[in-house]
Amino acid sequence: MAAWGQRLAGVRGVLLDVSGVLFDGAEGSGVPIAGSVEAVARLKRSRLKVRFCTNESQKSLGDLVRLLQQLGFDISEGEVTAPAPATCLILKERGLRPYLLIHDGIRSEFDQIDTSNPNCVVIADAGESFSYQNMNKAFQVLMELENPVLISLGKGRYYKETSGLMLDVGAYVKALEYACGIEAEVVGKPSPEYFKSALQEMGLEAHQAVMIGDDIVGDVGGAQQCGMRALQVRTGKFRKLWHYPVAGCSFFLQDSPQGVCTWEQGGPQTALSIRISWGDWTTRPQATPQTS
């Protein structure tokens, strides 16, 4: 296996997922994952650029950042790419008036958005608001439109909280896609545009950055599809064996004595995903960032 320095050569920036990587959520709070606060601090002391890239859609950006600060993380709102603010920009640019099927925790993000006479649906991780009545209302809005628009804040299958695994927005998006015969527009990971916007904020090209996350599809797969390198931590939703279709191919994660996972696409290894724990990240040698 190639040395870490070779694998991470040329990396000038790190994108960090939040839920399942920095902390596990709990009702109204959260618990930092062991070693994550120190790891973020070390990254920020290095010459690497750092940005946080999340699909969080139950907390407003301000609430999320305040929670992370309370847990001990060095983070500010300007360092975070989150789906709700990005979605608001899209709605304004396109003159869209959404029916909001979202969690009350992010409703304030849409205070400046016209929601009268909806001509689209915005769906997020609505939690207990995913009732039949609300889902059916979203279905009815879409079916009444000549060109239905469904915008989803992320499309995750599930995520992890301290109480266990939680069903994410992706399952509900799939239900509306199936019922209406449409395909949702995803604002968030694994959307290429989402990763590109984060890279633009960092002033980096894809080959100069590495994504660290717990989701092999949203974090690792999405980043690699954009030309980035990706590392998967063994925390959050991580499972020892994953098998999901991505871009028409199947890949598997396989353990090795070095704690490295390979991405396989029906044959020889074509891309790389290194799976680490925060302990590994903070003790193994880091690649020396290249200066421009």
Side-chain angles (χ1 to χ4, degrees):
M1 308 296 286
W4 271 62
Q6 293 174 319
R7 294 193 186 282
L8 299 180
V11 169
R12 296 177 54 200
V14 177
L15 283 77
L16 294 171
D17 182 27
V18 175
S19 177
V21 174
L22 302 186
F23 82 109
D24 284 329
E27 187 65 32
S29 182
V31 178
I33 291 169
S36 60
V37 174
E38 295 80 5
V40 170
R42 178 176 176 178
L43 285 172
K44 288 201 160 189
R45 289 195 300 269
S46 74
R47 289 180 293 166
L48 295 168
K49 295 183 178 181
V50 178
R51 189 161 187 85
F52 303 88
C53 195
T54 179
N55 275 358
E56 173 61 53
S57 62
Q58 285 199 352
K59 298 179 183 67
S60 69
L61 177 56
D63 287 344
L64 174 63
V65 169
R66 280 188 289 274
L67 171 59
L68 290 170
Q69 290 172 340
Q70 290 168 7
L71 296 178
F73 291 98
D74 178 8
I75 185 174
S76 64
E77 289 189 28
E79 298 174 297
V80 183
T81 298
T87 299
C88 288
L89 289 176
I90 291 172
L91 295 173
K92 291 178 180 179
E93 289 172 357
R94 294 166 57 179
L96 294 173
R97 303 178 305 276
Y99 169 72
L100 296 172
L101 181 47
I102 61 176
H103 194 277
D104 286 344
I106 64 165
R107 199 165 290 276
S108 62
E109 299 269 24
F110 295 86
D111 281 348
Q112 303 304 312
I113 299 297
D114 182 5
T115 57
S116 63
N117 190 25
N119 59 2
C120 74
V121 169
V122 168
I123 185 171
D125 181 10
E128 297 299 324
S129 293
F130 277 133
S131 63
Y132 174 81
Q133 180 180 1
N134 290 340
M135 283 288 289
N136 197 55
K137 174 61 177 178
F139 164 74
Q140 291 173 338
V141 168
L142 291 168
M143 291 297 286
E144 291 172 359
L145 297 173
E146 183 177 352
N147 297 300
V149 175
L150 173 61
I151 298 176
S152 177
L153 277 64
K155 206 174 182 181
R157 298 167 184 243
Y158 56 89
Y159 56 94
K160 182 177 179 293
E161 291 193 343
T162 54
S163 59
L165 297 178
M166 312 294 287
L167 194 63
D168 205 350
V169 64
Y172 300 93
V173 174
K174 283 291 187 181
L176 290 175
E177 287 180 327
Y178 176 73
C180 301
I182 60 175
E183 184 174 350
E185 301 177 25
V186 179
V187 180
K189 299 171 292 185
S191 165
E193 290 75 17
Y194 198 64
F195 282 108
K196 290 175 183 176
S197 68
L199 289 169
Q200 185 175 15
E201 290 290 337
M202 300 172 79
L204 298 178
E205 299 294 330
H207 69 276
Q208 298 174 310
V210 60
M211 175 73 202
I212 299 178
D214 64 329
D215 188 332
I216 192 64
V217 177
D219 298 327
V220 174
Q224 290 183 331
Q225 290 291 321
C226 288
M228 297 168 56
R229 280 164 280 188
L231 291 81
Q232 186 186 22
V233 292
R234 298 177 191 157
T235 54
K237 68 174 68 174
F238 167 77
R239 291 296 175 267
K240 289 185 178 180
L241 183 63
W242 299 60
H243 179 200
Y244 290 135
V246 174
C249 298
S250 294
F251 61 85
F252 297 85
L253 286 184
Q254 299 174 330
D255 290 329
S256 78
Q258 293 79 21
V260 174
C261 288
T262 58
W263 168 304
E264 297 181 343
Q265 292 189 166
Q269 179 178 312
T270 56
L272 174 72
S273 167
I274 306 173
R275 178 167 60 84
I276 60 172
S277 68
W278 277 123
D280 294 328
W281 177 256
T282 55
T283 57
R284 290 176 185 253
Q286 290 179 306
T288 301
Q290 304 294 312
T291 57
S292 56

